[in-house]
Amino acid sequence: MTLSTRRRAKRAARREARRALPLWRRLLPTWRVTLGTLTTLFLLAVGGFAVLYVIVPVPDPNAHAVAQNNIYLYADGTTEIARTGAVNRTDVTIDQIPLPTQQAVVSAEDRTFYQNRGIDLKGMLRAGWNTLLGKGMQGGSTITQQYVKNYYLTQDRTIERKGRELLIALKVDQQRDKREILAGYLNSSYFGRGAYGIQSAAHAYYGVDVSGLTPAQGAYLASLLQAPSLYDVKTATPANREKAVARWNYTLDGMVQLGFLTPADRAATTFPDPIDPQPATGLAGQAGYLVGVADDYLVSSGTLDAATLKAGGWRITTSFDKPRQDAFVKAVQDRLTDELDPRARPTTDTDVRVAGASVEPATGRVVAVYGGPDYAKQPYNDALRQDNQIGSTFKPIDLAAGLVAQHTPDGRPITTESRYDGTSERPVTGGPTPYAPPNEDDIDYGNITLRHAMVKSVNSVYAQEGVDAGLARVRETAIRLGIPDSVRGMDPANTSMTLGTATPSALDLAGAYATLADHGQAHTPWSVLKLERVNPGGAVDVPKMPDHNPTEALDREIADSVTDVLRDVVSTRGTGAAALDLNRPAAGKTGTTDSNLSAWFAGYTPELATTVGLFRENPKTHAKEPLAGTAGLTRINGGTFPTRIWTTYMTAALDGTPTQDFDLQTGHDTPAATPWPTATAGTSPSATAPTTAPATGGEPAGTDPAPGTPTGHAPSAPTATGRPAPGPSTPSPPAPKPTTDPDQPSPTPRPSQIQPTRPTALPSATGGPASRPAAPPTP
């Protein structure tokens, strides 16, 4: 039998054997077909890649090298706020960059840099797999790829751009030395604070030439590359500061792993705090604060990434109204700055700071902010900071949560007219931690309604009501209204949360109160109307701006019921009486925190919601200092300077607009409705407010309860114990059923008496032991 005959016989045998197989098996390709197909596809892929590699050139540097200014405009689209964005960069050679700094960048960004060929397939596959597993978007780009993207391409997130990046990275790695690639990457990368390149970053963060960076400083700059704006520890939120330090530690650990740093040197390395941000030219006055709010919105909303924004060329029309912005500045000057005398009172009238924001309830549009007196002198935007407790401005959230719950755990209804025991230092029952907050001046109010307790800002009532509503529900309500879930002081494991240990920014708080003003419809505050950029070739980029559709945070009847109560705060008997000078229907709440470290007024009309916060801060250590003694006053309450600034600003901001009343649908008749109170000439509450608060007795109209507590009366404010807090497990003290009786018992000062001994080693506000119990924010 010939060879060809044998082959034909074998093929025939194989065909017969295949015909004998079941149908499903015959449909599957043979191993020969499979292998042939895969081999063909592989050869086609290799061939296609080879063709692309040849035809895709290394392009010229992108337009980033000739970046333009950013132009910021007021809402009218013509009045200029500022021009920024000119690239702040000075190129340096690789030899000018300290070796430890080079090694820190490799450890932070690409630990296979010296071994890979421009791309890291294993890293890309690992990043893709982690993304599929739901661990968030993972980055698998090498330093070479990032350099190619920064220097030759764009930040566009497209498959086409990624493909070109891979091909060009391979070519660049073949054509250039690793040291040259690393130098290009460090000269083109954005480090935050407007600094492009390692040389500018060294000056921006440490005030030194790049050659003078220490290993610890170089490791911090390397850590910034992942999230430049978020990881600046001088301006970051507490949560982002922790992430920045963790990234720095990750970088140092990588240096040890790669043999760049000994374990002993690693252990001896301490975190190198950078210098304070230095003001950029052209941002003096209010310009820098407005630009900061607009930039923060564009980046946090995902409209632009920080590097693309800072590259420049954008024409940004903001939401700010120039007349209202100017009115805010003038209100602070007239109602606070002019009252201060730093020469006569250098220990109390210096470093007093104001944070403010104003938002349209119906749209969420930010119309004005107050971040400080002059960005050139104070480059911190106080309107955005999240490190001041808001005190009793949190009580409306407690009330809203109670109205959502409808009943206490033991079945008693919660309404605005529910009665509670207003005895000062009455222990809260059912809370996760012991708590017995004093009322202002240790006054006992007796059995009063939640409405009256809001008007007088009675701590003992709202500490209990918040627990009755359920602390987890209180936190959820705050978040739904617009308080970020990341702010500190909203831990349901701490009973003291009810009295305002939360630290949202002035803009956050304005957004939450705007939700109440808009009948429970929540808008995330926004500050940019329009964004466009003209490219060198003439094409115009117009990124899609986020939608501003509201979400229902609260049922309308609940939101309107809270507004109904807050209208009584702005009355002759309320702590916000100074706001009566607005001569318009208004609602609001005062707040003052423990040790008089901050004072607030948050309020709104149907058209505008505005918050004003006051605090003092050491300019060198940034430690908070008491407001007591400011302008010669014994204590500073939310009902004094914050309310007066609010009233003056709102008067100007609403000038010429028709007066609107609140269109409230509370689901019940307002108890014993009284005509809207108005101030008359010669009887203005703010005009007759005392210059110092009384040491005892009821609080005067126009002032907010101050935080001071007599010696021996400090309440305990322990922190989280790790237990969940879905709500109180034991009922609060019995109380009469809700009533609509408008008559309230008169508050009476408590007689002097020896107080029981308080614990002396309760957990502190940060979870560690404390030498004495921490007092809560007071009204």
Side-chain angles (χ1 to χ4, degrees), residues 4 10 202 234 280 326 390 523 556 604 610 619 663 688 712 716 749:
S4 60
K10 287 181 179 180
K234 286 296 185 178
D326 292 344
I390 60 171
H523 290 85
R556 173 164 185 166
Y604 51 93
T610 301
D663 177 21
T688 59
S716 58

Side-chain angles (χ1 to χ4, degrees), residues 330-348:
K330 190 174 187 303
V332 174
Q333 179 70 40
D334 292 348
R335 290 298 186 174
L336 174 66
T337 309
D338 288 350
E339 300 293 324
L340 302 178
D341 191 346
R343 291 185 179 180
R345 295 181 291 269
T347 60
T348 60

Side-chain angles (χ1 to χ4, degrees), residues 315-376:
R315 185 179 179 87
I316 302 166
T317 304
T318 70
S319 63
F320 307 120
D321 284 342
K322 189 175 189 331
R324 286 173 169 173
Q325 183 64 36
D326 292 344
F328 218 143
V329 175
K330 190 174 187 303
V332 174
Q333 179 70 40
D334 292 348
R335 290 298 186 174
L336 174 66
T337 309
D338 288 350
E339 300 293 324
L340 302 178
D341 191 346
R343 291 185 179 180
R345 295 181 291 269
T347 60
T348 60
D349 282 17
T350 55
D351 308 317
V352 181
R353 300 167 75 149
V354 174
S358 192
V359 176
E360 285 183 348
T363 63
R365 174 186 169 216
V366 183
V367 299
V369 296
Y370 188 87
D374 185 347
Y375 188 79

Side-chain angles (χ1 to χ4, degrees), residues 517-537:
D518 196 32
H519 315 291
Q521 298 297 306
H523 290 85
T524 301
W526 53 276
S527 54
V528 175
L529 290 166
K530 187 178 178 181
L531 182 67
E532 62 182 6
R533 177 174 64 179
V534 178
N535 295 312

